[in-house]
Amino acid sequence: SAVISQKPSRDICQRGTSLTIQCQVDSQVTMMFWYRQQPGQSLTLIATANQGSEATYESGFVIDKFPISRPNLTFSTLTVSNMSPEDSSIYLCSVPGPTYEQYFGPGTRLTVT
Amino acid sequence: SQELEQSPQSLIVQEGKNLTINCTSSKTLYGLYWYKQKYGEGLIFLMMLQKGGEEKSHEKITAKLDEKKQQSSLHITASQPSHAGIYLCGADDDQGAQKLVFGQGTRLTINP
């Protein structure tokens, strides 16, 4: 299985600021996914990040709010911009395995005050 | 888009008892994933089912996908405190694209 790390593991941020979350994988993968889990809720897909192309965003998520970078096949970043308390969530990255399984990082717990 | 409904939403069982969690889809399932999440942490991959009638086991956890591929069940035998957590089912929302939608989760508590 893939080993995925995320930084930071948690953060408390002020309203109106931005936070960049990093996702590092121990193997090269074509696709990486970013999910959000709001308090008490299940996971929702934010976007798909492919190396060498623009990220593809799901309905309800826009690039200006959640810009994504994918500079190589083992790394991606998600920025949460101009944060509000509604952005308080756990943000998780995931990657597919070789036989259609999917593995998730440990998550970044974000609290916006 | 696909919707997944899990039941029950929460479950409290005595240690040593068996239990079952269900996941029902609004559409045919092309890939059904089961995960476990400890509070506030990442998701631990348990298993994935693709074929109608498929059954997989890992330690004391067994998951099945029904023949019509619209429902899956997760069964834990002789539950232990280590089984406590939130169980999530997820499904491939766009056949083969691996963009997952998730059920709302089942919170499992094991009483000693």
Side-chain angles (χ1 to χ4, degrees):
Chain A
S1 66
V3 177
I4 306 170
S5 60
Q6 286 186 232
K7 291 181 181 179
S9 59
R10 58 178 61 223
D11 207 342
I12 301 173
C13 300
Q14 297 280 351
R15 181 196 300 258
T17 62
S18 298
L19 176 72
T20 296
I21 302 167
Q22 298 178 7
C23 178
Q24 179 77 52
V25 189
D26 68 341
S27 57
Q28 293 185 336
V29 292
T30 304
M31 290 187 294
M32 295 177 77
F33 302 93
W34 286 98
Y35 288 81
R36 179 176 75 179
Q37 186 178 31
Q38 294 178 299
Q41 304 293 317
S42 192
L43 280 77
T44 302
L45 180 63
I46 297 172
T48 304
N50 292 324
Q51 196 269 336
S53 64
E54 293 282 331
T56 305
Y57 290 84
E58 299 300 307
S59 176
F61 297 96
V62 295
I63 188 171
D64 290 346
K65 177 66 176 177
F66 297 101
I68 289 171
S69 77
R70 184 79 201 275
N72 58 54
L73 291 173
T74 63
F75 187 80
S76 178
T77 66
L78 169 76
T79 298
V80 186
S81 303
N82 188 25
M83 288 184 284
S84 66
E86 292 71 35
D87 294 319
S88 297
S89 299
I90 300 173
Y91 293 86
L92 302 104
C93 63
S94 73
V95 300
T99 52
Y100 297 102
E101 66 273 31
Q102 194 161 138
Y103 300 104
F104 283 79
T108 295
R109 178 182 285 277
L110 171 62
T111 302
V112 183
T113 60
Chain B
S1 63
Q2 192 158 26
E3 293 184 0
L4 298 177
E5 184 170 337
Q6 286 184 236
S7 62
Q9 291 188 17
S10 65
L11 192 55
I12 302 173
V13 301
Q14 202 74 21
E15 183 177 352
K17 298 294 186 182
N18 303 335
L19 63 105
T20 299
I21 299 169
N22 294 303
C23 177
T24 302
S25 173
S26 59
K27 298 181 180 180
T28 299
L29 291 161
Y30 292 100
L32 189 286
Y33 301 73
W34 282 102
Y35 291 90
K36 178 185 173 184
Q37 184 178 33
K38 289 284 193 180
Y39 177 73
E41 298 180 5
L43 275 64
I44 301 168
F45 174 77
L46 296 176
M47 55 196 92
M48 179 202 171
L49 305 165
Q50 287 184 292
K51 301 175 184 177
E54 187 174 12
E55 179 176 323
K56 288 185 178 179
S57 294
H58 175 67
E59 298 178 345
K60 294 185 177 181
I61 301 175
T62 300
K64 301 178 184 179
L65 182 61
D66 75 348
E67 290 288 346
K68 295 183 178 179
K69 295 174 65 173
Q70 284 199 272
Q71 186 170 34
S72 178
S73 60
L74 184 83
H75 184 78
I76 299 177
T77 304
S79 58
Q80 301 169 355
S82 60
H83 288 128
I86 299 172
Y87 289 82
L88 292 156
C89 64
D92 192 332
D93 192 34
D94 188 0
Q95 187 183 352
Q98 297 191 289
K99 296 159 61 172
L100 302 186
V101 294
F102 285 87
Q104 75 274 32
T106 296
R107 183 179 293 271
L108 174 62
T109 302
I110 308 294
N111 284 336

